[in-house]
Amino acid sequence: MLSQVKGLSRHFTEETLRAYLIGRSVRRDDGCLIVRGYGSQRGVYQKVAGRAWAHITAYVVFVGGYDPGLDVRHLCGAPDCIEPTHLQQVAHAENCRSRTQQPRCRNGHERELDPTSGRYRTVCRVCNSEAQKRWRVRQSEEVAAARAAYGRQVG
């Protein structure tokens, strides 16, 4: 069954992988078993044991009955949690439907609802406007530098 996990190092057995995952994890007060993977970033999906996703390897080792055609979903919402009771296998479409969208962008602006789909817009209008302004400034500086290098006056 371990051979079905994409990116998993071949030298692991179920027992050694179980011990490896438990050794790299910490129990939180809310019941989540948080794994520390190769990256230092907290709150993101973690890779362990080669290049395998930690939550998938935990599902294989602790729960069993892994189907590679299905996604492993976190019921708790913490991407770096490997608690077996918080993991569930579902179809990819169901996994996408169950995701919640954030009402604010990462810069704290309110996101608008798209009238055609009823979901939040993927790009915040304020952040998009600011990015376009920064792009226009960069472009005008590049054009001015190119014209100056070619010998034209900057106008």
Side-chain angles (χ1 to χ4, degrees), residues 33-44:
L33 188 62
I34 303 298
V35 69
R36 183 179 44 87
Y38 294 139
S40 61
Q41 209 172 11
R42 163 74 181 86
V44 296

Side-chain angles (χ1 to χ4, degrees), residues 2 9 35 50 55 66 82-83 98 106 110 113 115 132:
L2 291 180
S9 181
V35 69
H55 63 289
Y66 174 70
I82 61 167
E83 171 63 34
S98 68
R106 65 178 158 187
E110 289 287 332
L113 286 174
Q132 287 180 2

